[in-house]
Amino acid sequence: MEEFPSPLESAKFIAGNSKDVSVDEEGARRVAESLFDKASAAEFGLAGWKSLHELNPRAASQEAVDWVFLVDTLNFSFWSEQEEQKYLVKYKGKTYSGYWSLCAAVNRALDDGIPITSASYFATMTLDQVRHVFRSDTEVPIPLIEERHQVLNESGTVLLEKFGGSFRTCVKMSEKSAQKLLRLILQNFPSYRDEAVFEKKKVSFYKRAQILVADTWSVLEGKGDGFFDDISSLTIFADYRIPQVLVHLKAMKYSEELMKKLREGTIFQSGDKEEVEIRGCSIWCCALICKHLLELYEKKGQDMREKINAVLLDYHLWDYARDHREEMKDIPFHRVRCIYY
């Protein structure tokens, strides 16, 4: 069995054997067409990562890379059991929810003089310190606090023992290859091994590991150590928002039976067949959208391979989900509580 199966190959296999989720090739084509004008705008590109998101670091420094590592190590499970009761963090006069509440809590801690992005600090953090840093401004605490504590201690220890205390060392060791960096992360940081077994075959998604590579590329603006010539080999990051958008945009379909389970708020386990199908088909669907988009530009005589990839498509769809929350209300997202997404 392959040590780290490719998420793209896994997605193709899952989409080809899926019972409750299907990719609509025509729908994927239509989404590509709707993105045609947007994809050449600056916002769709690398610059959008900083310009559209005020909590992301501005600099392309080692500190910024350390911020990215910390945040992506904790980038999982922010959905609320009830819409009206959420984990929220107030920062600089604004209230943040979901993933941005994590970023706000990290920035709040840094402003308070807590060296939260430093491996020597988070390797030895106590559970109470983790609770304090990620405290909520509502009654609802951040989900999976014990798991977050464990993952922080484990990842910090690995950084200190193997990489001189900074993820930047891993980035340098990857020699400008996104795939090499992905492998380094998977080999050394157990919490990033986002895998399952589907139809007796080991499959992978590597949501956080791929996001970590992508965010490193973004924070370093695709330059210097962050110039990855194979960035387009990454897939989208299969979480619970992207599938919801794809179903809303009619690029992906759920069976009636699965839709019923989702509407009832069924909580799936990581690795359940339906959950694997949802995530695998999302990756495959976005690979098709990218392919169609590149073909559309090719017809116009433009080679956009440098400007269009699954990473940028993921960033775009994720922001779309945030901005179209109301219209997407009728499409339920799948619920899983785990450290992988």
Side-chain angles (χ1 to χ4, degrees):
M1 216 178 247
E2 204 185 336
E3 189 190 7
F4 300 120
S6 139
L8 189 61
E9 290 303 314
S10 297
K12 189 178 182 180
F13 176 72
I14 294 164
N17 293 278
S18 176
K19 305 279 184 291
D20 286 293
V21 186
S22 57
V23 175
D24 186 324
E25 177 102 27
E26 262 316 296
R29 200 183 300 272
R30 278 194 302 274
V31 171
E33 283 165 3
S34 74
L35 286 173
F36 184 71
D37 295 326
K38 295 187 184 79
S40 49
E43 256 63 58
F44 192 90
L46 200 42
W49 193 84
K50 291 183 180 182
S51 67
L52 299 176
H53 308 114
E54 72 269 11
L55 295 176
N56 285 343
R58 297 282 152 250
S61 58
Q62 175 157 321
E63 289 73 23
V65 170
D66 289 341
W67 185 97
V68 161
F69 178 80
L70 174 83
V71 164
D72 285 332
T73 297
L74 297 172
N75 184 355
F76 55 84
S77 208
F78 299 107
W79 56 271
S80 316
E81 310 278 338
Q82 274 118 17
E83 192 49 38
E84 58 286 351
Q85 289 182 296
K86 286 181 172 178
Y87 169 67
L88 299 173
V89 172
K90 288 194 182 102
Y91 178 68
K92 290 192 172 171
K94 263 182 96 170
T95 302
Y96 295 93
S97 66
Y99 164 75
W100 296 113
S101 57
L102 169 76
C103 301
V106 168
N107 291 352
R108 174 179 66 186
L110 290 169
D111 289 356
D112 291 345
I114 298 168
I116 182 62
T117 56
S118 162
S120 53
Y121 181 78
F122 64 79
T124 55
M125 273 181 104
T126 64
L127 181 56
D128 279 341
Q129 285 173 317
V130 175
R131 279 206 176 97
H132 172 71
V133 166
F134 299 105
R135 66 195 178 278
S136 178
D137 282 302
T138 65
E139 299 298 298
V140 183
I142 192 168
L144 303 178
I145 192 79
E146 282 89 358
E147 287 83 348
R148 290 180 201 278
H149 174 231
Q150 191 185 337
V151 163
L152 279 172
N153 284 175
E154 175 188 88
S155 305
T157 303
V158 171
L159 282 179
L160 291 170
E161 287 177 357
K162 294 187 174 180
F163 301 107
S166 177
F167 182 63
R168 187 77 187 244
T169 310
C170 295
V171 179
K172 285 186 191 301
M173 284 168 72
S174 72
E175 297 167 322
K176 300 185 169 45
S177 163
Q179 284 303 318
K180 203 165 169 187
L181 183 55
L182 183 62
R183 259 194 122 60
L184 270 172
I185 295 163
L186 296 171
Q187 281 164 345
N188 292 289
F189 301 96
S191 78
Y192 281 90
R193 290 175 204 149
D194 175 10
E195 298 160 346
V197 173
F198 181 75
E199 301 289 351
K200 302 192 176 71
K201 189 176 160 121
K202 182 172 159 181
V203 292
S204 74
F205 310 100
Y206 302 140
K207 181 250 179 175
R208 287 197 295 111
Q210 293 197 99
I211 273 196
L212 177 52
V213 176
D215 285 349
T216 300
W217 176 64
S218 301
V219 81
L220 294 176
E221 298 165 14
K223 297 173 196 154
D225 292 335
F227 175 79
F228 300 130
D229 54 9
D230 58 345
I231 193 70
S232 57
S233 66
L234 298 183
T235 70
I236 59 123
F237 322 125
D239 63 357
Y240 39 89
R241 281 282 168 235
I242 297 290
Q244 187 190 23
V245 184
L246 294 173
V247 173
H248 170 73
L249 295 172
K250 299 187 167 50
M252 203 163 83
K253 287 194 185 102
Y254 292 158
S255 70
E256 279 177 34
E257 201 179 331
L258 175 57
M259 198 53 124
K260 185 171 177 288
K261 283 185 184 174
L262 294 173
R263 290 201 196 286
E264 286 165 356
T266 304
I267 302 224
F268 295 99
Q269 296 304 307
S270 178
D272 280 356
K273 193 171 180 304
E274 297 97 328
E275 184 245 12
V276 169
E277 289 188 5
I278 289 171
R279 298 183 76 202
C281 287
S282 298
I283 290 176
W284 189 242
C285 183
C286 286
L288 293 179
I289 293 171
C290 274
K291 179 171 102 56
H292 292 316
L293 202 44
L294 287 169
E295 283 167 1
L296 286 171
Y297 278 105
E298 247 166 63
K299 277 184 191 148
K300 291 267 191 290
Q302 284 175 278
D303 182 356
M304 293 287 277
R305 278 173 305 188
E306 295 294 306
K307 294 201 174 68
I308 290 168
N309 56 49
V311 173
L312 298 174
L313 176 63
D314 184 286
Y315 288 166
H316 173 80
L317 290 174
W318 202 83
D319 285 343
Y320 178 96
R322 183 198 55 196
D323 299 339
H324 296 78
R325 195 80 24 114
E326 274 308 296
E327 294 127 84
M328 287 173 36
K329 263 210 320 246
D330 57 323
I331 311 283
F333 64 87
H334 69 286
R335 294 163 179 256
V336 175
R337 275 275 177 243
C338 68
I339 66 165
Y340 300 115
Y341 64 103

